[in-house]
Amino acid sequence: MINKSRFITWLRPVRNREQAMAVVDEARQQYPDASHHCYAYLLGRPASAQAAMNDDGEPSGTAGKPIFNVIQHKGMSDVLVVVIRYFGGVKLGAGGLVRAYAAAAESVLSAVERVEHTPQVTLTLAVPFALEQRIRLWVEQHSAQVSEVTYGQQVHMAVTCQVKDQEDLLALCAAEQIAVTS
Protein backbone atom coordinates (compact mmCIF):
# COMPACT_ATOMS: atom_id res chain seq x y z
CA MET A 1 0.00 0.00 0.00
CA ILE A 2 1.40 3.38 -1.03
CA ASN A 3 -0.48 6.54 0.00
CA LYS A 4 -3.70 4.52 0.27
CA SER A 5 -3.29 3.00 -3.22
CA ARG A 6 -3.15 -0.80 -3.25
CA PHE A 7 -0.88 -2.59 -5.75
CA ILE A 8 -1.21 -6.27 -6.72
CA THR A 9 1.54 -7.71 -8.91
CA TRP A 10 1.40 -10.77 -11.16
CA LEU A 11 4.37 -12.43 -12.82
CA ARG A 12 3.76 -15.06 -15.49
CA PRO A 13 5.97 -16.90 -17.95
CA VAL A 14 4.78 -16.26 -21.51
CA ARG A 15 6.00 -17.45 -24.91
CA ASN A 16 4.13 -15.06 -27.19
CA ARG A 17 1.96 -11.94 -27.32
CA GLU A 18 -1.27 -13.95 -27.32
CA GLN A 19 -0.38 -15.63 -24.01
CA ALA A 20 0.60 -12.28 -22.51
CA MET A 21 -2.67 -10.63 -23.53
CA ALA A 22 -4.67 -13.59 -22.20
CA VAL A 23 -3.04 -13.08 -18.78
CA VAL A 24 -3.80 -9.33 -18.89
CA ASP A 25 -7.43 -10.17 -19.74
CA GLU A 26 -7.51 -12.63 -16.82
CA ALA A 27 -6.24 -9.88 -14.48
CA ARG A 28 -8.95 -7.52 -15.74
CA GLN A 29 -11.60 -10.19 -15.16
CA GLN A 30 -10.32 -11.10 -11.69
CA TYR A 31 -10.00 -7.43 -10.60
CA PRO A 32 -12.66 -5.64 -12.67
CA ASP A 33 -13.04 -2.77 -10.20
CA ALA A 34 -9.31 -1.90 -10.14
CA SER A 35 -8.34 1.53 -11.42
CA HIS A 36 -5.46 0.32 -13.63
CA HIS A 37 -4.03 -2.92 -15.06
CA CYS A 38 -0.56 -1.85 -16.22
CA TYR A 39 1.86 -4.33 -17.75
CA ALA A 40 5.07 -4.99 -19.61
CA TYR A 41 6.47 -8.09 -21.23
CA LEU A 42 9.70 -9.15 -22.91
CA LEU A 43 9.82 -12.18 -25.22
CA GLY A 44 12.84 -13.91 -26.70
CA ARG A 45 16.53 -13.16 -26.66
CA PRO A 46 17.55 -9.60 -25.83
CA ALA A 47 19.10 -9.01 -29.29
CA SER A 48 15.87 -9.91 -31.11
CA ALA A 49 13.31 -9.51 -28.35
CA GLN A 50 9.69 -8.57 -28.77
CA ALA A 51 8.40 -6.26 -26.07
CA ALA A 52 5.33 -4.27 -25.11
CA MET A 53 4.20 -2.10 -22.25
CA ASN A 54 0.96 -0.36 -21.32
CA ASP A 55 0.15 2.41 -18.82
CA ASP A 56 -3.62 1.66 -18.86
CA GLY A 57 -4.68 5.23 -18.17
CA GLU A 58 -1.79 6.28 -15.93
CA PRO A 59 0.21 9.28 -17.23
CA SER A 60 2.38 8.25 -20.18
CA GLY A 61 5.60 6.50 -19.19
CA THR A 62 4.78 6.21 -15.48
CA ALA A 63 3.70 2.55 -15.28
CA GLY A 64 4.50 0.26 -18.23
CA LYS A 65 7.97 1.71 -18.85
CA PRO A 66 9.17 1.37 -15.23
CA ILE A 67 7.89 -2.23 -15.16
CA PHE A 68 9.68 -2.94 -18.45
CA ASN A 69 12.91 -1.34 -17.20
CA VAL A 70 12.96 -3.66 -14.18
CA ILE A 71 12.44 -6.73 -16.42
CA GLN A 72 15.35 -5.59 -18.61
CA HIS A 73 17.56 -4.78 -15.61
CA LYS A 74 16.98 -8.27 -14.23
CA GLY A 75 18.04 -9.75 -17.59
CA MET A 76 14.88 -11.79 -17.88
CA SER A 77 12.80 -12.71 -20.91
CA ASP A 78 9.67 -14.63 -21.74
CA VAL A 79 7.95 -12.94 -18.80
CA LEU A 80 4.96 -10.71 -18.25
CA VAL A 81 4.47 -8.47 -15.22
CA VAL A 82 1.00 -7.05 -14.57
CA VAL A 83 0.55 -4.49 -11.81
CA ILE A 84 -3.03 -3.94 -10.74
CA ARG A 85 -3.70 -0.65 -8.91
CA TYR A 86 -6.61 0.31 -6.75
CA PHE A 87 -6.49 4.13 -6.50
CA GLY A 88 -6.58 5.23 -2.88
CA GLY A 89 -7.59 8.86 -3.35
CA VAL A 90 -4.11 10.40 -3.02
CA LYS A 91 -2.32 11.38 -6.23
CA LEU A 92 1.26 10.07 -6.30
CA GLY A 93 2.61 12.36 -9.02
CA ALA A 94 4.68 11.14 -11.97
CA GLY A 95 7.77 10.37 -9.88
CA GLY A 96 5.74 8.58 -7.24
CA LEU A 97 3.99 6.45 -9.87
CA VAL A 98 7.30 5.51 -11.50
CA ARG A 99 8.75 4.49 -8.12
CA ALA A 100 5.59 2.59 -7.10
CA TYR A 101 5.31 0.58 -10.34
CA ALA A 102 9.06 -0.12 -10.45
CA ALA A 103 9.00 -1.27 -6.81
CA ALA A 104 6.03 -3.56 -7.49
CA ALA A 105 7.85 -5.16 -10.45
CA GLU A 106 11.12 -5.38 -8.50
CA SER A 107 9.47 -7.15 -5.56
CA VAL A 108 7.96 -9.91 -7.69
CA LEU A 109 10.97 -10.36 -10.01
CA SER A 110 13.39 -10.55 -7.07
CA ALA A 111 11.34 -13.26 -5.40
CA VAL A 112 11.07 -15.59 -8.39
CA GLU A 113 13.41 -18.49 -9.09
CA ARG A 114 15.08 -17.96 -12.44
CA VAL A 115 15.14 -20.76 -14.99
CA GLU A 116 17.59 -20.51 -17.85
CA HIS A 117 16.61 -22.00 -21.17
CA THR A 118 19.41 -23.19 -23.37
CA PRO A 119 18.64 -23.79 -27.04
CA GLN A 120 18.90 -27.46 -27.94
CA VAL A 121 18.93 -29.53 -31.09
CA THR A 122 18.22 -33.21 -31.67
CA LEU A 123 20.21 -35.17 -34.23
CA THR A 124 19.55 -38.75 -35.32
CA LEU A 125 22.73 -40.73 -35.85
CA ALA A 126 23.33 -44.05 -37.60
CA VAL A 127 26.23 -45.40 -35.57
CA PRO A 128 28.26 -48.58 -36.21
CA PHE A 129 28.07 -50.86 -33.16
CA ALA A 130 31.79 -50.41 -32.49
CA LEU A 131 31.32 -46.65 -32.04
CA GLU A 132 28.22 -46.65 -29.84
CA GLN A 133 30.23 -46.24 -26.63
CA ARG A 134 32.23 -43.41 -28.21
CA ILE A 135 28.99 -41.50 -28.83
CA ARG A 136 27.68 -42.30 -25.34
CA LEU A 137 30.92 -40.95 -23.85
CA TRP A 138 30.57 -37.74 -25.87
CA VAL A 139 26.95 -37.42 -24.66
CA GLU A 140 28.07 -37.80 -21.04
CA GLN A 141 30.92 -35.30 -21.41
CA HIS A 142 28.65 -32.66 -22.96
CA SER A 143 25.61 -33.08 -20.69
CA ALA A 144 23.60 -34.21 -23.69
CA GLN A 145 20.92 -36.90 -23.78
CA VAL A 146 20.14 -39.99 -25.79
CA SER A 147 16.38 -40.09 -26.15
CA GLU A 148 15.84 -43.00 -28.52
CA VAL A 149 17.92 -46.01 -29.46
CA THR A 150 17.02 -48.69 -31.98
CA TYR A 151 19.23 -51.56 -32.96
CA GLY A 152 19.35 -52.93 -36.47
CA GLN A 153 22.31 -53.22 -38.79
CA GLN A 154 23.50 -50.08 -37.02
CA VAL A 155 22.58 -48.28 -33.83
CA HIS A 156 20.18 -45.42 -34.53
CA MET A 157 20.39 -42.85 -31.75
CA ALA A 158 18.52 -39.60 -31.21
CA VAL A 159 20.99 -37.29 -29.43
CA THR A 160 19.84 -34.01 -27.93
CA CYS A 161 22.56 -31.48 -27.16
CA GLN A 162 22.92 -27.76 -26.69
CA VAL A 163 23.10 -25.83 -29.94
CA LYS A 164 26.57 -24.60 -28.95
CA ASP A 165 27.80 -28.25 -28.93
CA GLN A 166 26.22 -29.22 -32.26
CA GLU A 167 29.32 -28.42 -34.35
CA ASP A 168 31.49 -30.52 -32.03
CA LEU A 169 29.11 -33.49 -32.39
CA LEU A 170 28.97 -33.08 -36.17
CA ALA A 171 32.78 -32.92 -36.30
CA LEU A 172 33.00 -36.17 -34.30
CA CYS A 173 30.50 -37.81 -36.63
CA ALA A 174 32.43 -36.65 -39.70
CA ALA A 175 35.74 -37.89 -38.26
CA GLU A 176 34.27 -41.29 -37.35
CA GLN A 177 32.15 -41.52 -40.53
CA ILE A 178 28.91 -41.66 -38.58
CA ALA A 179 25.86 -40.80 -40.65
CA VAL A 180 23.66 -37.97 -39.42
CA THR A 181 20.16 -38.59 -40.75
CA SER A 182 18.45 -35.51 -39.29
Side-chain angles (χ1 to χ4, degrees), residues 12 14-22 24 28 37-44 48-56 61 63-72 76-83 105:
R12 299 290 190 275
V14 290
R15 293 266 183 229
N16 54 49
R17 182 185 186 287
E18 292 74 27
Q19 282 183 344
M21 297 318 299
V24 172
R28 286 187 173 124
H37 300 84
C38 305
Y39 66 87
Y41 64 79
L42 183 63
L43 305 173
S48 61
Q50 178 185 5
M53 59 199 90
N54 188 298
D55 295 318
D56 191 35
K65 183 69 172 163
I67 297 167
F68 179 74
N69 288 342
V70 174
I71 294 170
Q72 276 189 312
M76 299 179 88
S77 64
D78 296 330
V79 295
L80 163 74
V81 175
V82 181
V83 180

Side-chain angles (χ1 to χ4, degrees), residues 109-127:
L109 288 167
S110 293
V112 71
E113 180 182 332
R114 294 175 60 134
V115 177
E116 287 197 38
H117 295 281
T118 54
Q120 296 188 328
V121 63
T122 300
L123 301 173
T124 303
L125 312 177
V127 183

Side-chain angles (χ1 to χ4, degrees), residues 9 13-14 45 58 60 109 120 124 140 144 160-161 171:
T9 309
V14 290
R45 300 178 136 198
E58 294 284 23
S60 180
L109 288 167
Q120 296 188 328
T124 303
E140 185 179 314
T160 302
C161 65

Side-chain angles (χ1 to χ4, degrees), residues 82-99:
V82 181
V83 180
I84 300 134
R85 179 184 180 203
Y86 283 91
F87 179 63
V90 177
K91 293 191 177 197
L92 302 179
L97 287 171
V98 168
R99 285 188 295 277

Side-chain angles (χ1 to χ4, degrees), residues 133-153:
Q133 287 308 312
R134 174 73 183 103
I135 296 297
R136 289 189 181 274
L137 177 62
W138 185 93
V139 165
E140 185 179 314
Q141 291 172 340
H142 291 83
S143 299
Q145 294 178 323
V146 175
S147 55
E148 288 182 36
V149 179
T150 56
Y151 294 95
Q153 293 200 348

